[in-house]
Amino acid sequence: MKKRIFALAMVLVMVAGLAACGSSSDSSDTTAAESGGDSTAEESGGSEYDSLTDEELYELALEEGGEITVYATTSKMLKAEEDFEAAYEGLDVTIMDLDQDEVLQKAQLEADSGNIYGDVLQAKDTNGSVYYEYFEDGILDEYFPEDICEYIEDDLLVYGYPLYTGAVTWYYNTEAYPDGQPVSSWWEIIEKDEDGNQKYRLFTKEIGTESTYLALLTSFIINADEMEQAYKDVYGEDLEYTYDASAFDFEVPENNAGVEFLWRLSQAEMTFIGDGDELVAAVNNSTADDPALAMASAGKITNVEESGYTIAWLQNLTPYTSMYNTENLYVVSNCPHPAGARLFIRWITGGTDAESGGLEYFKKEGNWPVRSDVEDTWNPVTIEELGCIAPDLEAIYENYAYAQNMWTYWAG
């Protein structure tokens, strides 16, 4: 996976006059077209707010009127409202719990009408659409607090400012396989026995419409050499290519191991279930004689403690288990409370010393902290030890629609 490293922009701007600024959206106008196609949120010029302290932002937020509106995609954010207001007397935060499509639609509609009410937006960008269709179009603005970003890996600061990261992974039944996970490679998940029967019953969400799943499969097309090597490592022989690339009105690469995997997976018997808890329940109910694997959010592992499920993650699959699925925070461009927005973002991500209390709501197994000064005591392994990599969202965005079209055609 190609990784880009970007240094934080060191912006030295005086505090005076910031309260009169409606937004720092001008700083996000350095688009991919202007920079040869490699512009990212972090290298787009920075913001005059990035170097301000909590105290400076608090003073400006009071001058703005003290109101802050947050469009969130998790109900956990609602729990932060009272604690934030207790920490910053005189500020009033309104948190709206919506799904991903709703928060983005609200931001789009408000930008189109010029009547902007939202200040902060939380969204997960699994296929690059948030960055390329909302950030680059000026609907969302960047914020990279300099002191906090010193504790965050550069790979996680390419396309937005992260709150925490998760992953989608496969689950197996630990009672059915007491000696450990039954597969070590993605290729083994779709393996057949000597009689040509599928070894495992497979449960997932509908891949063609589930962007997180499809983005991961798209990454295999991008990293075809790694997929090809993974096959050879498992079976000791070169991969045989069986897909037909001629059925499409766009160019499908020949002998691409990621495309071959997509083809074979599309022909497998699969059960699509829209609810993640039901996906892992299917694994919990499986047996050694009738084994099942399910692909679901890593956070569904909490069913072990909550419901007594005998499930576990498949770890260190080759060529890699999954990609980081990062929850990002954005400032809404031209928002009415730009300082308040950034103060809330700082607080919810831990503040200067990671002790603000904002991160407490997101500390659960299957969520991983992105700050190196936050000790992860709730996950048995790091996300790197699980076998996840940082996504190349530019490449995924460029190839996502092709992968979706291939899947839809082949699966249909």
Side-chain angles (χ1 to χ4, degrees), residues 286-322:
S286 66
T287 65
D289 294 330
D290 187 20
L293 303 174
M295 186 161 58
S297 165
K300 296 305 175 182
I301 196 68
T302 56
N303 279 285
V304 171
E305 182 175 346
E306 296 169 359
S307 305
Y309 285 6
T310 55
I311 58 173
W313 299 319
L314 291 179
Q315 300 183 36
N316 290 308
L317 296 178
T318 59
Y320 45 86
T321 304
S322 190

